[in-house]
Amino acid sequence: TNNMIGNRIVGYEVAWWTPGVFRALGHGRALGRVCPAHTPYGEIRDNVFHDNARWGIYLDNQFPRNVQRDEDGFLTDPSSCNTFTPDGRDN
């Protein structure tokens, strides 16, 4: 989980874009060990995005779930990325 606190972003195409499904299985060392579209957000506060060409913030295809991760943020249970838990409850 990443925190986004106290940033000032000016003059970009999109100030902050979260492309959750762009690399849906991760990238590099994280490949197959994360599910970015389903990882919950951390703390988001005190940010200023202005004079950007399109959006200040674009939360694209993010569907946070109760993802089970270790202290490095890697999955401990890949099934925790699923829409439903094994007993049919919303994840």
Side-chain angles (χ1 to χ4, degrees):
T1 300
N2 291 315
N3 297 318
M4 185 77 161
I5 301 171
N7 296 280
R8 308 293 184 260
I9 302 174
V10 180
Y12 281 79
E13 177 75 15
V14 178
W16 183 33
W17 174 43
T18 60
V21 295
F22 175 65
R23 289 191 169 132
L25 299 176
H27 181 69
R29 183 172 164 245
L31 185 63
R33 300 170 71 189
V34 295
C35 51
H38 306 304
T39 302
Y41 292 110
E43 185 176 353
I44 302 171
R45 65 176 168 82
D46 302 329
N47 298 292
V48 177
F49 309 134
H50 68 85
D51 294 328
N52 297 289
R54 299 182 83 184
W55 298 281
I57 185 171
Y58 185 6
L59 306 176
D60 183 24
N61 292 304
Q62 301 295 133
F63 304 98
R65 298 187 178 147
N66 296 310
V67 179
Q68 303 302 310
R69 298 171 288 165
D70 64 17
E71 61 277 355
D72 293 319
F74 295 124
L75 292 172
T76 57
D77 179 7
S79 71
S80 67
C81 296
N82 295 343
T83 304
F84 300 104
T85 62
D87 62 359
R89 290 179 292 139
D90 284 341
N91 189 17

